[in-house]
Amino acid sequence: MKRVTLVVLILFISAQAQTSFDGCAPEGKRKNGNVPAREAAMNRMKNRDGITGSIDHSITIDTLMKASEETDIDQERPIQITGFVADVIDGTPNETCNCARSDIADIHIDVVAKKADRNKKVKYVIVEISPRFQEKLGDMKTVKKAITGKWVQFTGWPTYDYKHRSNSRNIKAMGNIWRATAWEVHPVTSFKVVPGP
């Protein structure tokens, strides 16, 4: 019962000041209809419109790598992390957060805490630029050229993508592990290239 109440509360809080994007509502949808409540709540987080409130500067890329549970970080407070961009790729097509459409997708960015880890997928922290921020921040080609192989400061919202628990090194030691944690910065609301540490 507590979990259902929490999901409903998150949906209510997240519903405030969110708008549809190109006909896609913040909670998204499946090809065959609505998404379950927990997934809809996560989609609303991924589809937040902008920064509200003060940025939590205590959260770092290392904090995200160590955080394994949904309650480890406050998802209602924006963060700013700095990391080395290992790769920029097209986001998964037809995700429910993008209404299962093939014409809009996130920009998926693999970030590491140390340049030496750029080829170690188990060290990747995922940050994503949602379609609603791509007009402001750039399309896939522009973003890839601007930040690949550079140190970048990302500002945005922490989101726990529970669907990727089984792919996260800090939760599982074996299997299809291609990321450090289920925690993401999603959406990224701004970024800037910075000098290395």
Side-chain angles (χ1 to χ4, degrees), residues 3-16 18 25-30 34-49 70 75-76 96-97 157-163 183 186-187:
R3 189 170 201 82
V4 172
T5 303
L6 177 63
V7 168
V8 171
L9 180 62
I10 290 170
L11 277 169
F12 174 76
I13 292 169
S14 298
Q16 299 176 25
Q18 276 190 292
E27 64 273 7
K29 70 176 186 177
R30 290 182 172 172
N34 296 330
V35 295
R38 184 176 186 200
E39 188 173 354
M42 181 177 67
N43 288 346
R44 281 191 170 281
M45 290 182 184
K46 290 180 177 183
N47 286 322
R48 287 179 268 206
D49 289 326
E70 195 164 1
Q75 295 186 80
E76 295 301 325
T96 64
C97 60
W157 291 98
T159 298
Y160 188 80
D161 193 334
Y162 69 90
K163 291 191 163 198
W183 280 98
H186 191 169

Side-chain angles (χ1 to χ4, degrees), residues 59-66 81-84 111-113 125:
I59 304 296
T60 66
I61 193 168
D62 288 323
T63 309
L64 293 175
M65 289 176 70
K66 291 174 186 169
I81 65 165
T82 300
F84 184 82
V111 182
V112 290
V125 171

